[in-house]
Amino acid sequence: MELNGTIQFSRGGSMLNVRRLLAVVLVLLIAFTSVLATVPSAKAETITTIEVYIGKNTGTVNGKATTLEQGALIKSGRTLVPLRFITEAMGATLVWDAVTRTANITLAGNKIALTIDKTVAKVNGYDVTLDAPAAIINSKTVVPMRFVAESMGAIIAWNATLKKVTVQFSMDWLKNKAIVPFWEAMAAALGTSLKGLTDEFNATHPSMEVQLVQMANYTTLQTKTIGAIAAKDPPLIAQAYENWAAQYATGFYLSTFDSYINGSNGLSKAEIADFFPKMWDSSKLADGKRYMMPFNKSNVVLYYNKDMFKAAGITRAPTTWQEFADDCAKLNKVDDKGDQIQWGASHTPSVDLWYGLVYAYGGRVLNDTYDQVLFANNNGVKAGTQLFADLFAKKYMHYTTAYGDQTDLGVGKAGMTFGSVAGRTYYEQAIAGKFELGEAPLPAGPAGEAAALYGTNIVMFGNAPKYTQRQKDAAWAYIKWFTSPHTQAVWAAQTGYMPARQSSLKDPVLIAAYAAKPETRAGLEQLSGSVLEPPTGGWNDARNKITTNLQNIFLGKVTVADGLKKMAQDVQAVIHK
């Protein structure tokens, strides 16, 4: 509606006419204002809020009190509530199968099936393991409240002080999902596993959708993430090594996880204690703040050709570095012309392997504040590095680049090599069934076993203005779910990565996987002796310096003493960055 009239006053016009004109204008303005007032505003979300208290027979739905046929109770750490109460409060359809004692729940196309006393339920076609199954108590059917609510797209919060559980739900959330962009670099079988698990999360959390954005490799992931931060457009969550996270934290978009861990949908003390301590510790930066959660954690293990070992009269994998050197000599072969036809081992110089070697020989790389190099003049570090340099010089160990060591082992030209616990599938592909593959913990040095704990964590750019609280809560829900015991068991069984949770070792899925291939526990067997690499931004450049200097040492371009001295100078120059 528009007011296009023009009011003109003639010189001879009376005051009465002016007043009449002003009255007309006032009436029109009032009418115009009334029209604007009737224009509808954007539709607000309709949210249903449900509250129950442990031990009480009453609850509320949108503030209206209701009597429960069975009071809410806790069993196996999970809140159980009457089945009919929670389904009716959320507007779901319930069909009871008396023969199988199964509750079939449907809401907006999402389907849940819970059977009394069964610890496995169905959600949109996926099997979901329950901590506490549906049960019949006092002749009433009760179900795990969190499971049912989240499976229908609701969010749930626990107030320990009041012993109150709050569920919030909106049909609008099912129509407009909380989108979580996740930048990752999981390829081949690892990527297949991640996609399968993420599809399961999306199906069993219908108001949320994690969208995987796969990068070609870790270098691409890091480069693009740095670029996205500079462009003020980071992903919501991403894989990141500790030193990457230290760099990202300077951009002010990275958020800590403490508020989520300690929040109403957080982790209990028992759940926190269930994480392997080394992995839990690796998710903090040098300032003590928890910017990360464990994701795909691994360490370096020894892979070897069992058939070649048997032919050489070697009965087991080496347990010390000196035994490793001795076995390299036994496995080494030259033909009648003196040409090398078999090496004891093949190795591409690795910062992670050398880092563990330093500690196995009683040394340290940096001090506790990560600002001072400690290895330059350590005799143990010199001895461990010299052992490798001598093996290369004698041609008992083949110097390779990139994944040449995998190729050597696969074609039967090397007896041993080193790789990530998650790399077994790649070695098996290279071997193609030609011989039996062995896997063992790294050999011990004079100071014992030591292996660098590596693999990435998940970080959240929760301070980026573009993301809503719903999206951030969904991101945390995914991370919490992914690091839960059963999901970690499946992840470890499918990929070879170590589970982040200790109780995952009791999960039937992982028990079966380790029973089928017992040696794949090698990484876990050396986890207690794992050492953490520096969670500082300068460590990224330091790794490059270490690699270059190791190459020079192992190629015989410099002596071990001079090479370590130069390495120490180079690392010291960049570690503060």
Side-chain angles (χ1 to χ4, degrees):
M1 179 177 181
E2 296 182 354
L3 293 176
N4 291 323
T6 301
I7 301 174
Q8 294 181 331
F9 297 92
S10 64
R11 288 180 182 272
S14 68
M15 183 60 67
L16 179 60
N17 289 334
V18 172
R19 288 176 178 173
R20 286 175 178 172
L21 285 170
L22 289 175
V24 171
V25 171
L26 181 60
V27 170
L28 290 172
L29 285 173
I30 292 172
F32 181 61
T33 303
S34 299
V35 170
L36 290 177
T38 61
V39 175
S41 59
K43 182 182 177 182
E45 292 178 339
T46 301
I47 297 177
T48 297
T49 301
I50 307 164
E51 294 179 335
V52 297
Y53 293 82
I54 302 302
K56 293 185 179 181
N57 289 327
T58 58
T60 64
V61 179
N62 292 330
K64 184 178 180 180
T66 183
T67 300
L68 307 183
E69 53 188 1
Q70 163 64 45
L73 69 151
I74 293 179
K75 185 178 181 181
S76 299
R78 295 293 177 237
T79 300
L80 302 182
V81 295
L83 169 63
R84 195 166 298 280
F85 164 72
I86 186 66
T87 53
E88 289 181 352
M90 294 185 67
T93 299
L94 171 63
V95 176
W96 174 255
D97 187 329
V99 176
T100 61
R101 301 203 305 168
T102 299
N104 295 287
I105 306 167
T106 304
L107 178 64
N110 297 298
K111 298 180 179 180
I112 308 169
L114 299 98
T115 301
I116 300 300
D117 297 330
K118 297 293 184 181
T119 56
V120 176
K122 283 277 189 185
V123 180
N124 293 328
Y126 284 91
D127 288 338
V128 178
T129 300
L130 306 175
D131 293 322
I136 295 178
I137 297 177
N138 297 326
S139 301
K140 303 300 179 184
T141 300
V142 292
V143 293
M145 189 174 190
R146 178 179 293 277
F147 164 74
V148 172
E150 289 183 342
S151 297
M152 289 193 288
I155 58 175
I156 191 165
W158 164 250
N159 186 315
T161 302
L162 300 177
K163 293 186 176 181
K164 180 179 73 171
V165 182
T166 301
V167 171
Q168 289 190 308
F169 170 73
S170 173
M171 289 295 291
D172 295 318
W173 297 348
L174 298 178
K175 300 173 185 175
N176 302 296
K177 299 176 185 287
I179 303 299
V180 179
F182 178 16
W183 287 14
E184 44 85 14
M186 296 285 93
L190 310 180
T192 300
S193 176
L194 179 60
K195 183 181 184 304
L197 288 171
T198 302
D199 287 346
E200 178 180 344
F201 173 84
N202 290 339
T204 56
H205 296 74
S207 64
M208 308 170 187
E209 184 178 336
V210 176
Q211 296 180 345
L212 299 178
V213 181
Q214 188 183 74
M215 303 296 170
N217 49 51
Y218 281 131
T219 301
T220 302
L221 173 61
Q222 182 187 23
T223 301
K224 288 198 172 184
T225 303
I226 291 173
I229 294 171
K232 301 181 180 180
D233 189 27
L236 182 48
I237 57 176
Q239 283 181 264
Y241 286 102
E242 292 84 357
N243 55 296
W244 295 6
Q247 292 177 316
Y248 300 163
T250 62
F252 306 109
Y253 289 137
L254 204 64
S255 54
T256 66
F257 283 104
D258 295 313
S259 61
Y260 290 99
I261 292 169
N262 300 317
S264 58
N265 186 29
L267 298 172
S268 67
K269 291 182 179 179
E271 287 173 320
I272 292 173
D274 188 40
F275 282 85
F276 282 104
K278 292 283 186 179
M279 297 189 193
W280 189 247
D281 291 344
S282 74
S283 59
K284 288 184 179 180
L285 291 184
D287 61 5
K289 295 180 180 179
R290 195 173 302 281
Y291 283 96
M292 301 166 281
M293 286 291 289
F295 181 58
N296 59 319
K297 306 308 291 184
S298 61
N299 54 27
V300 181
V301 292
L302 176 76
Y303 289 104
Y304 63 101
N305 183 329
K306 285 189 173 182
D307 294 358
M308 193 180 291
F309 267 48
K310 185 177 180 180
I314 304 172
T315 58
R316 57 172 174 77
T319 58
T320 68
W321 282 114
Q322 186 55 56
E323 284 185 3
F324 169 77
D326 295 341
D327 288 346
C328 282
K330 294 176 184 177
L331 294 166
N332 189 66
K333 283 186 179 181
V334 294
D335 61 17
D336 295 337
K337 298 179 181 179
D339 295 328
Q340 196 88 25
I341 58 173
Q342 181 175 295
W343 293 276
S346 285
H347 178 52
T348 297
S350 161
V351 175
D352 302 302
L353 181 68
W354 179 81
Y355 194 92
L357 189 71
V358 167
Y359 284 81
Y361 273 80
R364 294 178 63 192
V365 177
L366 299 176
N367 63 355
D368 290 339
T369 52
Y370 311 114
D371 57 6
Q372 187 65 44
V373 171
L374 300 178
F375 61 82
N377 298 310
N378 184 284
N379 290 330
V381 177
K382 290 179 181 178
T385 308
Q386 187 69 58
L387 181 141
F388 269 62
D390 289 344
L391 289 173
F392 281 122
K394 295 175 182 178
K395 296 186 178 180
Y396 291 167
M397 185 153 64
H398 187 209
Y399 182 99
T400 55
T401 58
Y403 297 106
D405 53 344
Q406 282 185 12
T407 302
D408 281 353
L409 186 72
V411 299
K413 285 192 173 183
M416 296 178 282
T417 190
F418 310 99
S420 163
V421 293
R424 186 180 178 99
T425 56
Y426 296 103
Y427 287 102
E428 289 175 339
Q429 289 172 5
I431 292 166
K434 293 189 291 291
F435 58 83
E436 186 178 359
L437 176 66
E439 182 178 343
L442 290 181
E449 284 187 346
L453 179 66
Y454 66 109
T456 69
N457 300 301
I458 292 185
V459 296
M460 185 192 300
F461 294 96
N463 294 331
K466 65 182 289 186
Y467 297 115
T468 66
Q469 191 59 50
R470 266 194 72 211
Q471 288 177 288
K472 290 183 278 189
D473 290 344
W476 168 248
Y478 174 73
I479 293 168
K480 181 181 177 182
W481 177 86
F482 196 90
T483 56
S484 65
H486 178 66
T487 308
Q488 281 293 294
V490 174
W491 176 240
Q494 292 179 348
T495 64
Y497 284 118
M498 295 182 290
R501 300 287 285 270
Q502 298 176 65
S503 60
S504 298
L505 300 178
K506 300 177 182 178
D507 190 286
V509 172
L510 196 52
I511 289 174
Y514 286 152
K517 295 181 178 180
E519 291 184 346
T520 57
R521 293 180 60 99
L524 281 174
E525 291 172 5
Q526 63 186 11
L527 180 59
S528 61
S530 291
V531 288
L532 306 181
E533 296 189 22
T536 59
W539 183 243
N540 196 54
D541 289 336
R543 287 178 61 90
N544 294 331
K545 299 296 184 182
I546 293 172
T547 298
T548 299
N549 282 282
L550 283 178
Q551 290 170 343
N552 290 335
I553 292 171
F554 295 156
L555 288 172
K557 295 181 179 180
V558 295
T559 65
V560 169
D562 289 344
L564 289 175
K565 182 178 179 181
K566 178 65 164 54
M567 184 193 297
Q569 292 171 346
D570 290 348
V571 171
Q572 188 66 57
V574 300
I575 198 61
H576 290 288
K577 292 183 179 180

